[in-house]
Amino acid sequence: MDKNTAQAAKTAANTELDVAFCRGHFPALGGDWVFLENAGGTLVPDQVIARLKQFTSDCQVQPGEGYPASDRGAARIAEGQAALAALINAEPGEIVIGPSTTGNVYVLSHALRPLLAPGDEIVVTNQDHEANNGAWRRLEATGIVLREWRMNAETEDLEIEDLLPLLGDKTKLVCFNHCSNIAGMFRDVKEIAAHVHEAGALVCVDGVAAVPHRRVDVKALDVDFYLYSPYKVFGPHLGVLYGRRDLLALLANQSHYFLAEDDHQRRLCPGGYNYELTAAAGGIAEYLDRVHAHHFPGANLETQARLDQVFELFAEHERKMAQRIEDYLNARADLRLVARGAAGRRERIGVFAFTVEGRDSGEIATRLKAGKIGLHADDFYAARCIDALGLRERGGVLRASLVHYNDAADVDRLLGQLEETLSS
Ligand SMILES: Cc1ncc(COP(=O)(O)O)c(C=O)c1O
């Protein structure tokens, strides 16, 4: 660690997130609702809104065609691409921007087919959101053998000891989440990837529920494919697929035959990507830089170091908010927090899925909404997870999910409203 980085790390350790400053950038936080459906999609800051308006009002033409509006558009799209890549420590040429994570996995599952032969095995989980599940399972029709990594009954989470026996000579790919949108536990992807690589297979990690909460570095994790959705990271409705460069080059073209071989963006996003939303995504970086400059004035750090610091501030703040919710949910005998048994094994992010003894989750959600608490009860498209946990007949799970802009008053309102609802 050089002197500047060491100094910056020291400053970060002594700095607390100025939540009011952050909240001031999100116009949708102005009302009297408490927003706790962040795992469904986060709110967007002024910077994202401004860039969307700027692009659509100033340069929504075919980009890169050598006239002023076109070149301005191309530059703004490139800024958005760079921001989306940097968020996970990738280069712009290593990501593919698509309509959604579901869409990106679908395309990836087709692009990988020529590399797979009948009898090859793919591991999927019974916990993941259907995005990193169904598209792989459908390859069974082509002779691929599917193996299921199942949640551990005690921890209600995925445990590595249950994966190891599934790995063998025929394993080609293991698909799992960095963090489940139901269990809310941040798993050790690097360790899992090391085991999978030792078996000669690749990993495809759904990072959608992880990226809004903790710093993600795809290089440090040593993943082959990693996906996230910017609309859950304070940005617009898009999906981002990271792929190792050598692997992207092996994937079969899913679009026009004449596209350049190294134009992974176009070859793996048939129909093209959304320019205005990609340009708007540049506002995520602009917002995060504003947060950095506010907390570390004068620090002259490169992008990755700034992101490290900002996400550490977010994580520290979120931990404090989350602890109060977790303590409350654990203290009441009539509440069942999903993956309670995994506590101590890994860190929970601010995502809490729970049920209430003898009550329908939908009914509780309706009452919370009547108290202006924005959350929901559902399976949240992790249908296999909810079924495996036996929670379908309970109306699914109630889910409260925090991000950095939720403050202590939000937690007070949630817990107060919950207490009132449970006692009536
Ligand atoms: C963990 C997780 N993975 C994947 C997805 C799907 O993302 P998208 O809507 O971009 O397809 C979601 C969306 O809720 C999610 O929570």
Side-chain angles (χ1 to χ4, degrees):
M1 204 187 270
D2 66 30
K3 218 171 127 205
N4 278 350
T5 318
Q7 184 57 38
K10 214 166 130 209
T11 321
N14 297 330
T15 307
E16 272 194 18
L17 183 71
D18 182 348
V19 193
F21 174 81
C22 295
R23 289 176 72 87
H25 289 79
F26 290 83
L29 283 173
D32 55 356
W33 275 75
V34 171
F35 187 63
L36 292 171
E37 227 299 73
N38 291 291
T42 51
L43 306 174
V44 288
D46 294 325
Q47 289 81 354
V48 170
I49 298 166
R51 283 189 186 228
L52 180 59
K53 185 165 181 216
Q54 182 191 46
F55 189 90
T56 49
S57 55
D58 175 53
C59 51
Q60 184 147 335
V61 294
Q62 272 301 88
E65 291 189 344
Y67 53 97
S70 176
D71 290 346
R72 282 198 301 280
R76 287 169 190 158
I77 293 167
E79 267 183 48
Q81 278 169 324
L84 293 174
L87 204 51
I88 53 172
N89 192 23
E91 298 296 324
E94 295 172 322
I95 63 163
V96 175
I97 298 167
S100 63
T101 289
T102 306
N104 281 343
V105 176
Y106 177 85
V107 172
L108 180 63
S109 72
H110 283 264
L112 267 174
R113 272 182 63 178
L115 304 180
L116 300 168
D120 283 347
E121 296 180 7
I122 293 181
V123 178
V124 288
T125 82
N126 71 343
Q127 182 191 54
D128 273 65
H129 185 285
E130 197 59 13
N132 198 24
N133 232 320
W136 302 119
R137 289 175 190 258
R138 281 198 286 277
L139 292 183
E140 240 177 344
T142 68
I144 303 298
V145 177
L146 267 294
R147 302 259 175 241
E148 197 176 61
W149 179 10
R150 298 202 175 130
M151 287 179 286
N152 180 288
E154 231 166 82
T155 64
E156 293 185 324
D157 202 3
L158 298 173
E159 301 302 339
I160 203 162
E161 54 268 27
D162 299 317
L163 167 66
L164 298 182
L166 301 176
L167 301 177
D169 288 352
K170 293 198 177 303
T171 316
K172 290 290 180 279
L173 182 69
V174 180
C175 309
F176 60 98
N177 60 71
H178 198 165
C179 178
S180 146
N181 62 336
I182 302 294
M185 293 288 182
F186 199 62
R187 78 185 73 266
D188 190 342
V189 166
K190 191 176 174 162
E191 187 190 359
I192 298 167
H195 283 287
V196 173
H197 290 155
E198 205 179 301
L202 303 173
V203 295
C204 176
V205 181
D206 175 349
V208 173
V211 177
H213 302 275
R214 298 290 184 271
R215 188 71 228 286
V216 171
D217 177 340
V218 288
K219 303 292 166 56
L221 293 176
D222 195 20
V223 287
D224 305 296
F225 299 108
Y226 191 96
L227 300 111
Y228 80 94
S229 301
Y231 73 93
K232 313 226 190 205
V233 200
F234 328 117
H237 272 87
L238 294 170
V240 174
L241 161 68
Y242 159 81
R244 250 177 46 204
R245 255 179 219 278
D246 56 325
L247 292 170
L248 287 176
L250 295 175
L251 297 177
N253 182 5
Q254 299 300 304
S255 190
H256 307 312
Y257 72 92
F258 47 75
L259 293 171
E261 275 191 12
D262 61 352
D263 189 350
H264 307 307
Q265 173 60 62
R266 284 179 204 285
R267 285 159 47 93
L268 297 171
C269 182
Y273 59 118
N274 187 310
Y275 295 146
E276 53 270 42
L277 296 186
T278 302
I284 305 173
E286 196 182 329
Y287 166 67
L288 296 175
D289 279 346
R290 278 280 286 142
V291 174
H292 189 270
H294 176 74
H295 291 84
F296 308 107
N300 187 19
L301 299 176
E302 49 89 28
T303 307
Q304 292 304 312
R306 290 198 307 276
L307 286 170
D308 284 348
Q309 288 194 328
V310 167
F311 273 88
E312 195 39 49
L313 286 180
F314 287 177
E316 233 356 272
H317 169 71
E318 194 188 297
R319 280 185 193 108
K320 284 185 211 140
M321 302 297 111
Q323 193 61 54
R324 288 184 55 208
I325 299 179
E326 187 163 2
D327 289 348
Y328 179 83
L329 295 175
N330 283 335
R332 284 194 66 124
D334 56 346
L335 298 181
R336 174 186 162 187
L337 173 63
V338 173
R340 187 182 277 173
R345 289 195 177 215
R346 53 193 70 90
E347 191 182 21
R348 179 182 289 283
I349 55 159
V351 173
F352 300 92
F354 59 100
T355 51
V356 182
E357 189 61 40
R359 308 271 291 263
D360 178 77
S361 298
E363 179 247 327
I364 303 279
T366 303
R367 298 180 65 148
L368 291 172
K369 283 175 214 172
K372 298 195 173 165
I373 308 292
L375 51 61
H376 194 49
D378 196 8
D379 65 15
F380 301 101
Y381 282 24
R384 297 170 204 275
C385 171
I386 295 301
D387 288 335
L389 294 172
L391 297 175
R392 176 77 52 198
E393 56 277 13
R394 310 296 304 275
V397 286
L398 284 143
R399 187 177 69 179
S401 50
L402 305 165
V403 287
H404 72 280
Y405 53 60
N406 289 111
D407 60 10
D410 288 349
V411 178
D412 290 343
R413 285 266 305 275
L414 169 70
L415 299 186
Q417 199 67 42
L418 200 48
E419 185 74 14
E420 204 179 302
T421 303
L422 296 179
S423 55
S424 60

